[in-house]
Amino acid sequence: KEIEARVSWGDYRTEPALPETILLPEPLPEEIGEDGKPKRAARPMVDWVRTPKERTVRLQIRDGRGEPVLVPESAAEQRRGGGLTLETHSRLFSYETPEGYTEQVRALTVFLVNRRATVHRFYSDVSYAFQARLELYCEEGFWPRRDLSGYRAQDWDLRVADLHYRDVLEWAVGRNAAAGWETNEDGNGPVTRVWTDPLPTAEVERVAPNEDAELKARVTFGMEALAQAADAGGAALVQALDELPKLYGLWIDAERHKLASLPPRRRETGERLICEMETAKKRIAEGILLLSQNTRARTAFRFMNLAVAMAARRRMAGASGDPQSLPAPQWRPFQLAFILLNVLGLAERAHPDREIADLLFFPTGGGKTEAYLGLAAFVIAYRRLTSSGVLGAGVAVIMRYTLRLLTLDQLTRAAGVVCALELMRTDPANTDEQSRRLLGDWPIEIGLWVGSDASPNKLGGKGKSDETTAVGRVRRFRNGRDKRAPAPLKACPWCGTEFTPSSFACVPNEHAPTNLEIRCANTNCDFSRNRPLPVLTVDEPIYRRLPAFLIATVDKFAALPWVGETGAFFGHVDRFEDGVG
């Protein structure tokens, strides 16, 4: 029936104080100038001084709209009349809770309204109330506001959110402001104070990957250790991975026990989530079974682990560090589970999993990129293993991004994995002769398919060397006339050494180029001198060479119906020309 409102604000008065006649909203009397026309009187310049105010008012609550209550001593100091008022609106209503019983609550809205007398616009700040704050106090406590729209919704995402956040309570809602409230440290006891908050804060708990010691003791997560197990045979790989779905099953059982305490509709949502968890567990187990029985899939899994491990070591070592001195790279549990979840659908063309799009959801910095780059390496290697010679070439992975800046960042990280695969395909120091033969005859490359602002779309040549071509960009960058590099890479994606103007070259020559090659300036890097980086950044060689990994922005996909050469991305190829592709 009654509530206490505490109002605080800041008033700004003029210094020196002005007479009320000057503050009137009507224009000052005008004088007649020498030319016979009215002349507006000059207004004095003033300084402004802030005066903090705070008042407490007891409000009587009644149904409907209440009578306005004037906040004591809230009229503008230099302008009599009006003031700040508190106005209320209250209503009783009932609703049925998910648990099946009816609650009756009172919804109370309290407004702080400025009804001060107006002043001339030149001094309008006199009538304003700055830094206004409204706080309500109720000794009996406020009742939490329930949002049951998700509980009754048909949309699946809303129902899942209703289940996940069923314990999150809201004690006040701001109008043109946020709201804050005070709770006990233990979460018990009534909430007695709520207030407006112009800059709310909330503590968000960190989401971290599972670092459970038992999990790491029973499952092999080391990339190189998994590669060795895959090389040793199916039985060794099963021994390394078989506990993962079993431990996942134990967690699912613990989640299933929570269903009994849920109301019917939330229990129905929870049962469907449990069913989807069981499906994911089954897919992980089937992925392990495939790797144990399918020699090519197991070999591709081995190449994947080696490639991601090599790229991780090289990236962490930097330009001058020793990659072998670093700790052995390891998968995080969700990364390895995501890979095993998808290998069966990627290896078998007729498998129903190919109709599923799995969303990998994790905060920034958690390791999403390594997880899907691992799958990309698996796909590229598996394709090479199942088709000999150049038949395993062509676009195997397409990555689409909406933001060009993010695309370039992902290019650097993805290029590291592609570099590792290419080294395993060609370098005797990194792999055995059989592995080199298995990875095919055609280079494993990555292509950046973006707009001409980031990279040239045409190679150019004799008579065609303007700044829109690769030839023109290389010349201008080498001569210092253009600060933009011909390719949107600042440093080598393998060792991290910054590129120099001599790192870019159109080959075989600038008169009739077939490609823009990039070489690292670090002579100790694997991709310098006679071995260019396996990175394509110009559209013309991308259409001709068809890199295994293609990174593109969404605007380029809009060109698919209009550029005939893009059909080659999807298998519309009728020949192979030796030396050109």
Side-chain angles (χ1 to χ4, degrees):
K1 296 182 179 180
E2 191 178 61
I3 197 169
E4 183 177 279
R6 299 171 183 171
V7 184
S8 62
W9 73 97
D11 278 338
Y12 284 81
R13 57 181 174 81
T14 63
E15 186 66 39
L18 297 176
E20 190 166 340
T21 55
I22 295 182
L23 295 174
L24 289 173
E26 295 78 14
L28 289 173
E30 296 175 337
E31 300 178 1
I32 303 300
E34 295 179 358
D35 56 358
K37 296 181 179 180
K39 182 175 67 173
R40 187 175 298 277
R43 292 186 174 272
M45 301 301 293
V46 296
D47 292 326
W48 293 90
V49 180
R50 183 181 186 274
T51 304
K53 298 287 185 66
E54 182 174 339
R55 300 291 183 267
T56 300
V57 180
R58 302 291 298 185
L59 300 176
Q60 303 299 319
I61 306 303
R62 69 179 189 183
D63 290 342
R65 183 171 180 175
E67 292 293 331
V69 177
L70 181 66
V71 177
E73 303 173 28
S74 63
E77 290 187 9
Q78 295 175 246
R79 182 77 167 96
R80 297 184 180 279
L84 304 181
T85 62
L86 289 169
E87 302 191 19
T88 63
H89 185 277
S90 173
R91 68 184 179 94
L92 285 170
F93 69 96
S94 302
Y95 61 91
E96 185 177 349
T97 67
E99 292 75 20
Y101 57 86
T102 301
E103 284 184 349
Q104 186 180 59
V105 297
R106 178 181 295 278
L108 172 66
T109 306
V110 181
F111 298 95
L112 176 64
V113 184
N114 185 350
R115 298 193 182 279
R116 290 172 168 178
T118 57
V119 301
H120 190 273
R121 58 181 177 81
F122 197 80
Y123 304 107
S124 59
D125 289 354
V126 167
S127 61
Y128 294 162
F130 292 88
Q131 301 97 34
R133 184 177 187 271
L134 175 61
E135 178 182 321
L136 302 180
Y137 173 77
C138 178
E139 186 175 356
E140 293 81 4
F142 294 94
W143 196 253
R145 180 177 182 268
R146 290 176 178 261
D147 181 4
L148 299 179
S149 59
Y151 181 78
R152 302 186 180 94
Q154 298 300 318
D155 183 89
W156 173 245
D157 289 335
L158 294 177
R159 292 185 59 179
V160 172
D162 170 74
L163 175 62
H164 284 173
Y165 303 107
R166 63 190 181 278
D167 296 328
V168 176
L169 301 177
E170 190 175 52
W171 304 91
V173 179
R175 308 297 185 194
N176 292 329
W181 50 83
E182 184 180 65
T183 58
N184 296 333
E185 293 184 0
D186 57 3
N188 298 322
V191 172
T192 57
R193 293 174 57 243
V194 298
W195 56 83
T196 58
D197 190 349
L199 190 63
T201 59
E203 183 176 341
V204 181
E205 295 184 5
R206 176 174 175 261
V207 179
N210 191 344
E211 303 290 347
D212 184 73
E214 181 184 5
L215 180 64
K216 291 193 170 184
R218 295 171 61 177
V219 181
T220 301
F221 291 105
M223 297 176 186
E224 291 151 339
L226 285 172
Q228 292 176 359
D231 197 32
L237 193 57
V238 169
Q239 184 178 0
L241 298 173
D242 199 39
E243 288 294 310
L244 183 61
K246 294 179 181 178
L247 291 170
Y248 184 36
L250 294 177
W251 180 80
I252 295 173
D253 291 338
E255 294 296 301
R256 185 181 286 109
H257 290 316
K258 300 177 182 178
L259 295 177
S261 61
L262 297 175
R265 190 166 176 80
R266 285 177 179 160
R267 188 184 310 122
E268 179 183 327
T269 305
E271 288 170 350
R272 179 174 166 183
L273 291 175
I274 294 293
C275 181
E276 292 179 354
M277 295 175 196
E278 292 286 0
T279 301
K281 172 192 167 186
K282 180 183 176 183
R283 291 174 63 192
I284 294 172
E286 289 175 345
I288 297 173
L289 182 63
L290 170 78
L291 297 178
S292 68
Q293 296 177 347
N294 187 318
T295 304
R296 290 175 176 172
R298 187 166 62 251
T299 305
F301 185 76
R302 171 175 169 266
F303 283 137
M304 175 200 74
N305 280 279
L306 290 176
V308 178
M310 285 175 61
R313 283 184 180 275
R314 183 69 267 181
R315 184 176 68 253
M316 297 301 295
S320 58
D322 179 13
Q324 300 306 315
S325 65
L326 298 174
Q330 292 199 347
W331 295 109
R332 288 176 171 173
F334 82 90
Q335 295 173 330
L336 185 57
F338 180 73
I339 290 169
L340 295 172
L341 191 81
N342 283 281
V343 293
L344 185 58
L346 293 173
E348 297 184 4
R349 294 188 176 185
H351 198 276
D353 279 4
R354 293 177 78 90
E355 299 298 320
I356 298 175
D358 286 302
L359 173 66
L360 185 59
F361 184 86
F362 208 84
T364 300
K368 297 184 297 296
T369 301
E370 284 72 19
Y372 65 72
L373 288 182
L375 276 181
F378 175 86
V379 170
I380 294 170
Y382 188 77
R383 183 167 177 166
R384 298 290 176 120
L385 292 168
T386 53
S387 301
S388 60
V390 297
L391 295 178
V395 178
V397 179
I398 297 178
M399 185 187 300
R400 180 186 65 80
Y401 276 97
T402 54
L403 299 177
R404 184 172 297 165
L405 186 64
L406 185 60
T407 306
L408 302 181
D409 173 69
Q410 295 297 318
L411 169 67
T412 302
R413 301 176 69 179
V417 175
V418 172
C419 288
L421 287 170
E422 178 63 6
L423 283 177
M424 286 192 288
R425 191 190 70 87
T426 59
D427 194 344
N430 289 287
T431 187
D432 56 86
E433 183 178 353
Q434 182 184 13
S435 296
R436 294 198 302 275
R437 178 176 54 81
L438 291 174
L439 286 175
D441 301 328
W442 188 256
I444 300 175
E445 298 171 316
I446 185 169
L448 181 65
W449 194 43
V450 297
S452 58
D453 286 343
S455 64
N457 291 342
K458 295 183 180 297
L459 286 167
K462 188 175 182 179
K464 300 178 181 178
S465 58
D466 58 66
E467 61 182 9
T468 64
T469 65
V471 171
R473 291 275 288 269
V474 169
R475 287 179 182 175
R476 284 168 171 76
F477 187 61
R478 191 176 295 161
N479 297 333
R481 296 184 344 195
D482 194 342
K483 294 182 179 180
R484 294 182 305 164
L489 289 170
K490 293 184 178 180
C492 174
W494 186 242
C495 72
T497 302
E498 289 194 7
F499 289 134
T500 64
S502 60
S503 298
F504 304 92
C506 292
V507 295
N509 55 66
E510 293 187 352
H511 295 296
T514 59
N515 194 14
L516 170 62
E517 289 187 349
I518 309 173
R519 286 178 170 81
C520 183
N522 179 8
T523 56
N524 294 322
C525 180
D526 295 300
F527 295 95
S528 63
R529 298 175 181 174
N530 296 328
R531 180 189 283 125
L533 282 159
V535 179
L536 306 177
T537 60
V538 183
D539 285 10
E540 289 180 339
I542 286 176
Y543 299 144
R544 189 174 65 251
R545 297 181 65 86
L546 300 181
F549 201 133
L550 184 66
I551 299 183
T553 46
V554 67
D555 56 318
K556 296 295 283 191
F557 277 85
L560 284 175
W562 313 106
V563 181
E565 293 94 329
T566 60
F569 295 162
F570 307 99
H572 295 280
V573 179
D574 58 9
R575 68 188 183 278
F576 163 74
E577 297 178 9
D578 189 22
V580 178

